[in-house]
């Protein structure tokens, strides 16, 4: 099976712009979670989608949003970018619909905000 | 919410020695504890996980132990090799949190020749 894929791999934006990142889960996986990774804050959970519904949410401002499509692909959007949004954004997919399950990570999108 | 603490932040061992990384969690109802390895510039990869109904799990040179009473779990790597050098993260979800993982701050393991 193909692994989790993310596009684009690298992005450079300026403050105030918005950005959309895409994640394609492993075939058959219906849960997609998003994480932000920075040197200072480490790996932090953003949100999880299952069957096109947000199932869990982390402690990020409303500028961070996401959605999931019927084919389980997911996108996350960050509006009004700030310098502090520079990070590696990772998505992870898993199979089960309830409880906690093994999450497989994509390669990430490296976002740089200037 | 869940709070996960991980120690040490850096660990240097000689090739062939064992390495142990420890994590504590705050939510006594947490029931799933994965460990991820992240090499420089690469994605985190699951190396082993354990559920709260078992106390220990092994996979070749890697083992994880869980102490539910003390709310801590540990990663043990035996016969370390240079390719084990990476950052290791523990994680746990809060009760009912599903896939909402809280990660530890990571341990940079360096295996020296």
């Amino acid at each position: 099976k193909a692994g989790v894929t993310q596009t684009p791999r690298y992005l450079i934006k300026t403050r105030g712009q918005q950005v959309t990142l895409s994640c394609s889960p492993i075939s058959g996986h219906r849960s997609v979670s998003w994480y932000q990774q920075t040197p200072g804050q480490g790996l932090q959970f953003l949100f999880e989608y299952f069957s096109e519904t947000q199932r869990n949410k982390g402690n990020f401002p409303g500028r961070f949003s996401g959605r999931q499509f019927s084919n389980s692909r997911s996108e996350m959007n960050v509006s009004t970018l700030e310098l502090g949004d520079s990070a590696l954004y990772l998505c992870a997919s898993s199979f089960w619909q309830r409880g906690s399950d093994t999450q497989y990570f994509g390669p990430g999108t490296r976002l740089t905000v200037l | 919410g869940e709070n996960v603490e991980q120690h040490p932040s850096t660990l240097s061992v000689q090739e062939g020695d064992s390495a142990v990384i420890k994590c504590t969690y705050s939510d006594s109802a947490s029931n799933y504890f994965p460990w991820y390895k992240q090499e420089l510039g690469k994605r985190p990869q699951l190396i082993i996980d354990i559920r709260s109904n078992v106390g220990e799990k092994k996979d070749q040179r890697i083992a994880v132990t869980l102490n539910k009473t003390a709310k801590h779990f540990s990663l043990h790597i035996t016969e370390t090799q240079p390719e084990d050098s990476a950052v290791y993260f523990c994680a746990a979800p809060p009760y009912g949190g599903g896939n909402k993982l809280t990660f530890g701050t990571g341990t940079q393991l360096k295996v020296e020749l």
Side-chain angles (χ1 to χ4, degrees):
Chain A
K1 277 185 181 178
V4 179
T5 59
Q6 292 185 244
T7 57
R9 294 292 312 279
Y10 301 91
L11 265 178
I12 300 176
K13 293 285 186 179
T14 56
R15 280 182 299 173
Q17 288 187 309
Q18 74 164 20
V19 66
T20 299
L21 314 180
S22 180
C23 172
S24 293
I26 292 171
S27 177
H29 285 193
R30 295 168 64 189
S31 167
V32 175
S33 299
W34 288 89
Y35 294 85
Q36 181 194 65
Q37 186 173 29
T38 60
Q41 299 298 316
L43 273 159
Q44 292 187 292
F45 175 84
L46 281 154
F47 28 66
E48 179 197 7
Y49 286 86
F50 180 83
S51 291
E52 303 177 63
T53 301
Q54 188 179 86
R55 186 159 70 171
N56 280 299
K57 190 176 187 305
N59 297 321
F60 279 82
R63 300 185 297 106
F64 292 82
S65 63
R67 60 177 175 169
Q68 187 180 35
F69 302 94
S70 58
N71 61 358
S72 294
R73 189 177 69 85
S74 177
E75 289 181 348
M76 69 163 281
N77 183 277
V78 188
S79 62
T80 319
L81 285 166
E82 301 177 359
L83 294 178
D85 297 334
S86 293
L88 180 66
Y89 290 89
L90 293 157
C91 76
S93 75
S94 66
F95 178 75
W96 292 111
Q97 66 180 58
R98 57 176 75 88
S100 303
D101 191 37
T102 301
Q103 293 184 54
Y104 298 90
F105 282 88
T109 294
R110 172 75 63 185
L111 172 64
T112 301
V113 182
L114 302 176
Chain B
E2 179 74 278
N3 183 45
V4 176
E5 294 189 2
Q6 183 173 346
H7 299 281
S9 57
T10 60
L11 180 59
S12 185
V13 300
Q14 294 292 121
E15 182 180 9
D17 287 350
S18 295
V20 180
I21 303 170
K22 298 181 179 181
C23 288
T24 60
Y25 60 97
S26 60
D27 189 336
S28 58
S30 290
N31 56 12
Y32 174 66
F33 307 93
W35 284 90
Y36 285 87
K37 173 184 180 182
Q38 187 175 29
E39 297 176 74
L40 190 63
K42 297 192 175 181
R43 71 188 77 189
Q45 288 196 304
L46 180 81
I47 55 171
I48 196 167
D49 56 10
I50 192 169
R51 296 193 181 268
S52 58
N53 57 345
V54 297
E56 184 176 6
K57 183 177 178 180
K58 288 184 180 180
D59 182 3
Q60 300 183 345
R61 298 186 296 109
I62 294 172
V64 56
T65 58
L66 172 64
N67 183 324
K68 287 165 52 180
T69 303
K71 292 190 287 185
H72 68 69
F73 56 112
S74 300
L75 177 70
H76 304 254
I77 305 175
T78 59
E79 300 173 21
T80 53
Q81 301 167 4
E83 51 264 39
D84 294 329
S85 296
V87 179
Y88 292 81
F89 293 96
C90 62
Y95 177 73
N99 289 327
K100 181 180 179 179
L101 292 177
T102 297
F103 281 84
T105 49
T107 296
Q108 175 74 62
L109 173 65
K110 183 177 180 181
V111 180
E112 299 176 334
L113 296 171

